[in-house]
Amino acid sequence: RDGARPWIELALARARAFLDVPVDLARRVEGGEPRARNEAEARTVASVVKKLAEAGVTDVAVLAPFRAQLRAVRSALDRAGADAQVSTIDRFQGKDAACVVLSFTRAAGGGLGDLLADPRRLNVALSRARLKLVLVGCREVLVAGSPVIARLVARLEDEGGVCRVEDVE
């Protein structure tokens, strides 16, 4: 068990979880305003994927809306010694995986961008997981930018499926 990081435990224990990577953590790790790349989220994703692999879950896909974020995720996975399918949301359409970890990436104001604001693309992102869906993002920005995401996060919170990420490796 990883008692020092309850967000890891939540991601492992629940079929659906939202890991809130707050703006201040993203800024601190990134050294500025994250836009199409968010290193704090990439490290969070890598930690989750590594723990899933240690628990025997090998069919894992990591999705993100931006190619720059996918590069950050691949780098974080390499550093963590973890492996997963890594794809943009659009390229993963028509595919699925036992576990999907979705990095929303955005942690700065100015809207979610076309990819995250489009309900059809959100549907693709949220419907690719057969058994487990782990959402990683900045709750404050996502809830303010999308009523769909706001309802989803509220429901997950009601179910005990939301946890704030306080630190990343």
Side-chain angles (χ1 to χ4, degrees):
R1 293 183 50 89
D2 197 334
R5 289 191 266 156
W7 51 271
I8 289 276
E9 292 299 318
L10 183 82
L12 292 175
R14 301 197 51 88
R16 294 182 314 220
F18 182 87
L19 305 181
D20 177 17
V21 179
V23 173
D24 60 331
L25 177 61
R27 284 182 184 142
R28 191 170 64 244
V29 171
E30 195 66 42
E33 290 291 333
R35 299 244 181 243
R37 179 179 176 278
N38 185 325
E39 182 64 29
E41 280 190 30
R43 292 179 190 180
T44 301
V45 166
S47 293
V48 169
V49 170
K50 183 175 182 176
K51 289 293 185 179
L52 287 167
E54 289 171 3
V57 180
T58 56
D59 183 16
V60 179
V62 176
L63 305 183
F66 308 107
R67 288 189 303 270
Q69 182 65 3
L70 295 179
R71 287 189 295 274
V73 165
R74 283 187 190 104
S75 178
L77 287 169
D78 287 346
R79 287 190 309 270
D83 188 36
Q85 300 176 66
V86 179
S87 178
T88 62
I89 294 166
D90 290 336
R91 289 194 129 163
F92 208 70
Q93 188 165 345
K95 301 176 186 173
D96 65 12
C99 176
V100 170
V101 181
L102 173 59
S103 174
F104 283 105
T105 310
R106 291 289 189 181
L112 298 182
D114 293 341
L115 288 171
L116 294 176
D118 184 340
R120 293 168 300 190
R121 286 178 164 153
L122 273 176
N123 182 57
V124 169
L126 298 173
S127 64
R128 303 297 96 189
R130 290 192 311 269
L131 302 173
K132 180 182 284 293
L133 176 63
V134 180
L135 307 173
V136 180
C138 178
R139 177 185 186 160
E140 176 185 340
V141 170
L142 294 169
V143 166
S146 168
V148 172
I149 295 174
R151 287 191 305 272
L152 175 62
V153 171
R155 181 171 181 166
L156 288 173
E157 187 167 46
D158 289 346
E159 298 171 0
V162 175
C163 192
R164 185 177 174 100
V165 176
E166 299 291 344
D167 69 326
V168 291
E169 293 178 347

